[in-house]
Amino acid sequence: MSSPYTFLVLGATGGTGKRFVSIALKEGHHVRVLVRSPEKLGDQADKVEVWKGSIVDDLETIDTDKLVEGVDFVASMLGDKEAQRYSKINLAFMEKLVPSMKKQGVKRFLYQAGGFSRPYGGSLSPILWIMRNTIARGYNGQHLDNEAVTEYLATQANDLDWIVHRAGIYSDGPSKGVLERSQSKISIAPFVDCADYSYRLLIDPSRDAVHTSDFSCYKS
């Protein structure tokens, strides 16, 4: 690594977010987090720059210009199943955050969505659509919010280097291998592998994944 970067991680106390923070710290980067409950950071609390706030309760008061000032990369692993059941909370925050990222010259933005969320202008395979509306129907609010964010990025933010990772996250557990980007195949993966993939995607010096909303799958 030539020099350390500054990352802003949203959703840093979640399963993937915690592991993303660990990777960035291990690689020698500076990490800033916006969290509702700093105590959930555990041992990471003393190693990161903590901003306390909730995108639900503090949307109007969070100074997003200051939040992203000096930041190179932003990674969003936000998700609140219950709040998203009634409102598109992620979309509301992105509509405030994205203009600030543009203003402050953020290099790249990664938004983690679920594999059951449709890409903008696209569709799900029949099997994924059936699964979304059966075993994953309780998460439909999250899927709709993710889809709204993806549409917003695709229609209002193409002057920003954004990437949507439609991840097949299932739970905690040991690594199963290395994920790679795929337009058609999705692998069910633990938090650690999804975090590793998102980190690599975010810092990739090429622009191959910019303005894409692809799956991730294990290398064969």
Side-chain angles (χ1 to χ4, degrees), residues 121-195:
S123 60
L124 294 176
S125 68
I127 185 63
L128 288 180
W129 183 252
I130 291 171
M131 293 174 69
R132 168 172 166 164
N133 288 281
T134 53
I135 62 174
R137 64 183 180 272
Y139 294 87
N140 198 50
Q142 287 190 313
H143 306 323
L144 293 174
D145 196 3
N146 289 335
E147 289 167 357
V149 170
T150 302
E151 179 177 357
Y152 171 72
L153 293 173
T155 59
Q156 304 294 323
N158 278 331
D159 50 344
L160 178 72
D161 279 5
W162 58 264
I163 303 167
V164 175
H165 173 203
R166 292 191 294 144
I169 305 168
Y170 75 91
S171 68
D172 205 356
S175 173
K176 294 167 55 180
V178 178
L179 293 167
E180 61 183 6
R181 187 162 60 95
S182 174
Q183 294 182 347
S184 59
K185 297 179 181 179
I186 183 170
S187 293
I188 306 303
F191 298 138
V192 63
D193 290 347
C194 291

Side-chain angles (χ1 to χ4, degrees), residues 10-85:
L10 307 170
T13 59
T16 311
K18 282 184 177 180
R19 285 146 189 86
F20 187 99
V21 169
S22 293
I23 293 167
L25 290 173
K26 183 178 179 180
E27 292 297 316
H29 301 298
H30 175 75
V31 178
R32 181 180 301 168
V33 300
L34 172 68
V35 291
R36 177 172 49 196
S37 305
E39 64 276 9
K40 292 183 179 180
L41 289 167
D43 294 341
Q44 292 180 339
D46 294 331
K47 303 173 184 176
V48 300
E49 178 187 347
V50 180
W51 281 52
K52 186 177 186 299
S54 162
I55 69 167
V56 178
D57 301 324
D58 307 313
L59 178 63
E60 299 302 322
T61 58
I62 295 172
D63 187 339
T64 51
D65 285 352
K66 287 289 187 183
L67 181 64
V68 299
E69 185 176 22
V71 167
D72 297 296
F73 301 106
V74 177
S76 173
M77 283 83 176
L78 291 167
D80 185 326
K81 177 184 174 183
E82 291 308 312
Q84 288 171 297
R85 190 186 300 274

